[in-house]
């Protein structure tokens, strides 16, 4: 089984601050599976990526950090912190949760310095986000079938291409289903990614199944059947962008999901939503709507390199906790990846502690 974490993931609760999960599990890759020089991540890639994430969230981090420049801990500090968290798109519920948790930690630790309170806020945020930090596992059931959804412009097809590259570098055989038959360039965009990866000895193969103007469900069905027949490790279905308010179009996504299950009764094994990190509380609305329609298993949060505030992940984490309590039999939601740019190495695994540190500056 292939995993985007180590076989024994670092515990987010006990790992030293800033301990990152590796992008790929080296133990699962062939010893000679080194990417070509042009694609090889530079030394310290994870550290550089964290700095880019911190830079993307700097405006938010600065606003929160300024709150802790106060000389003492009082109601005024908490009021300013509440305003800063709301401005960071954490939303009312997550903001209240974090403040209540922080005040309890301050009492328990008898914290008296603003710097100590800031550290406790980082702990509170990391603990809230920790349940979202889980590995994306490949190979548990043979050919892993992923269905990727999202609104137009979220970076869905690009994220699929980057994920395919990472999988191929781990010697996984990947098949992409170009089921976004409505957008003219979607099929060509996937083909470009497949060509970029290539089929050299150091990588697994990436193939594309497509039909010009074909029915999305039919394309996906053919891809799943072909993937199983060809011994692929992963099949990833790209779907057309949908607004959750477009009910008739959301029904087409349900049809694609049903057809995947006809091709493989256990599939799709993953239903991933790609969300734009700049959309604030609208991202939470998208998560709720797509989950109600399809039953999401994971998220990819993109574009955290611009004006993204990032606090919406706290709102998503709180909602996911409430969802797990209300539906204990349903698979918990994960945030598998964060994206901070266009380069291949800009898509990295999510770490609750790293994100809390980046958000709080």
């Amino acid at each position: 089984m292939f995993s985007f974490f180590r076989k024994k993931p670092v515990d987010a609760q006990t790992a030293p601050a800033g301990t990152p999960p590796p992008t790929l599990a080296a133990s699962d890759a062939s010893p000679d599976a080194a990417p070509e020089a042009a694609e090889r991540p530079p030394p310290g890639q994870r550290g550089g990526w964290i700095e880019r994430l911190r830079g993307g969230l700097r405006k938010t981090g600065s606003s929160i950090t300024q709150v802790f420049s106060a000389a003492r801990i009082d109601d005024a500090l908490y009021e300013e912190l509440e305003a800063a968290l709301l401005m960071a798109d954490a939303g009312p519920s997550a903001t209240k949760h974090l403040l209540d948790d922080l005040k309890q930690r301050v009492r328990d630790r008898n914290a008296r310095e603003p710097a100590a309170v800031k550290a406790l806020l980082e702990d509170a945020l990391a603990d809230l986000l920790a349940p979202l930090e889980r590995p994306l596992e490949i190979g548990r059931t043979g050919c892993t079938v992923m269905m990727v959804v999202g609104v137009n412009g979220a970076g869905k097809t690009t994220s699929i291409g980057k994920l395919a590259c990472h999988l191929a570098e781990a010697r996984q055989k990947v098949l992409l289903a170009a089921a976004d038959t409505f957008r003219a360039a979607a099929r060509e965009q996937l083909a470009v990614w497949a060509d970029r990866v290539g089929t050299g000895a150091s990588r697994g193969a990436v193939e594309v199944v497509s039909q010009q103007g074909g029915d999305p469900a039919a394309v996906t069905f053919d891809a799943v059947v072909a993937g199983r027949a060809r011994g692929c490790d992963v099949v990833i279905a790209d779907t057309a962008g949908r607004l959750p308010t477009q009910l008739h179009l959301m029904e087409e996504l349900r049809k694609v999901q049903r057809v995947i299950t006809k091709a493989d009764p256990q599939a799709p094994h993953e239903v991933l939503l790609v969300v734009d990190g700049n959309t604030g509380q609208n991202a939470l609305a998208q998560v709720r709507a797509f989950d109600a329609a399809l039953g999401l298993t994971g998220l990819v949060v993109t574009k955290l390199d611009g004006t993204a505030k990032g606090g919406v992940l706290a709102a998503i984490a709180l909602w996911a906790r409430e969802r797990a309590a209300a539906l204990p039999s349903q698979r918990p939601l994960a945030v598998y990846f964060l994206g901070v740019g266009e380069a291949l190495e800009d898509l990295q695994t999510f770490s609750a502690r790293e994100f809390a540190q980046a958000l709080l500056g």
Side-chain angles (χ1 to χ4, degrees):
M1 180 178 64
F2 173 82
S3 168
F4 271 79
F5 283 71
R6 288 193 174 96
K7 290 295 186 181
K8 295 182 179 179
V10 175
D11 188 338
Q13 303 294 326
T14 59
T19 301
T23 304
L24 296 171
S27 60
D28 290 313
S30 171
D32 61 350
E36 295 174 4
E39 300 268 32
R40 183 179 295 114
Q45 169 193 298
R46 183 79 182 186
W49 177 84
I50 293 171
E51 285 305 311
R52 290 195 294 279
L53 176 62
R54 193 186 302 273
L57 300 173
R58 181 162 291 128
K59 184 175 181 180
T60 299
S62 298
S63 298
I64 296 175
T65 300
Q66 288 176 3
V67 173
F68 296 100
S69 62
R72 56 182 184 170
I73 303 167
D74 54 16
D75 290 342
L77 182 145
Y78 288 119
E79 288 176 4
E80 290 182 23
L81 180 57
E82 178 181 18
L85 289 171
L86 290 171
M87 289 296 295
D89 283 333
S93 297
T95 295
K96 182 179 184 304
H97 173 88
L98 288 170
L99 287 175
D100 290 346
D101 189 2
L102 175 62
K103 290 176 182 178
Q104 185 62 53
R105 291 171 188 260
V106 169
R107 288 193 293 268
D108 292 344
R109 304 289 180 85
N110 195 27
R112 299 180 181 277
E113 298 295 330
V117 177
K118 181 184 176 184
L120 292 176
L121 176 60
E122 180 185 305
D123 291 341
L125 179 57
D127 287 349
L128 176 61
L129 297 174
L132 299 177
E133 182 186 327
R134 292 200 315 281
L136 174 62
E137 296 176 340
I138 303 300
R140 183 181 291 277
T141 57
C143 178
T144 299
V145 180
M146 302 182 193
M147 179 179 176
V148 183
V149 299
V151 304
N152 287 318
K156 179 165 44 65
T157 303
T158 298
S159 295
I160 290 172
K162 293 176 183 178
L163 177 56
C165 284
H166 283 305
L167 288 166
E169 287 177 353
R171 301 300 296 274
Q172 304 293 294
K173 186 177 181 181
V174 182
L175 189 147
L176 305 179
D180 183 356
T181 59
F182 295 97
R183 185 165 65 89
R187 184 164 54 99
E188 289 77 7
Q189 190 175 357
L190 283 181
V192 168
W193 276 107
D195 290 341
R196 177 181 176 186
V197 176
T199 56
S202 64
R203 296 194 185 123
V206 175
E207 304 175 55
V208 179
V209 170
S210 65
Q211 297 175 11
Q212 187 170 4
D215 177 71
V219 173
T220 306
F221 182 88
D222 290 346
V224 175
V225 172
R228 297 179 71 187
R230 299 174 191 177
C232 292
D233 299 293
V234 186
V235 173
I236 306 176
D238 186 14
T239 61
R242 295 285 186 263
L243 291 175
T245 54
Q246 297 171 312
L247 300 182
H248 64 296
L249 297 179
M250 290 292 283
E251 180 55 37
E252 289 190 8
L253 289 181
R254 294 189 186 95
K255 178 183 176 182
V256 171
Q257 188 178 43
R258 290 193 299 269
V259 167
I260 290 175
T261 303
K262 287 182 180 180
D264 181 346
Q266 295 183 332
H269 306 96
E270 298 284 350
V271 181
L272 307 183
L273 174 66
V274 179
V275 292
D276 183 339
N278 293 292
T279 56
Q281 285 292 299
N282 188 41
L284 175 60
Q286 291 176 28
V287 172
R288 296 169 66 100
F290 279 94
D291 182 65
L294 303 168
L296 298 177
T297 62
L299 305 179
V300 179
V301 184
T302 63
K303 305 184 181 181
L304 291 170
D305 54 334
T307 59
K309 296 179 180 179
V312 70
L313 259 70
I316 291 172
L318 185 61
W319 172 81
R321 175 182 293 189
E322 294 167 351
R323 170 186 183 257
L327 302 168
S329 62
Q330 190 167 347
R331 185 172 166 185
L333 188 72
V335 173
Y336 287 132
F337 298 100
L338 301 181
V340 298
E342 295 299 320
L344 170 60
E345 61 271 15
D346 289 339
L347 185 72
Q348 295 284 336
T349 47
F350 170 70
S351 162
R353 175 62 65 175
E354 287 176 355
F355 189 84
Q357 290 174 337
L359 183 64
L360 300 181

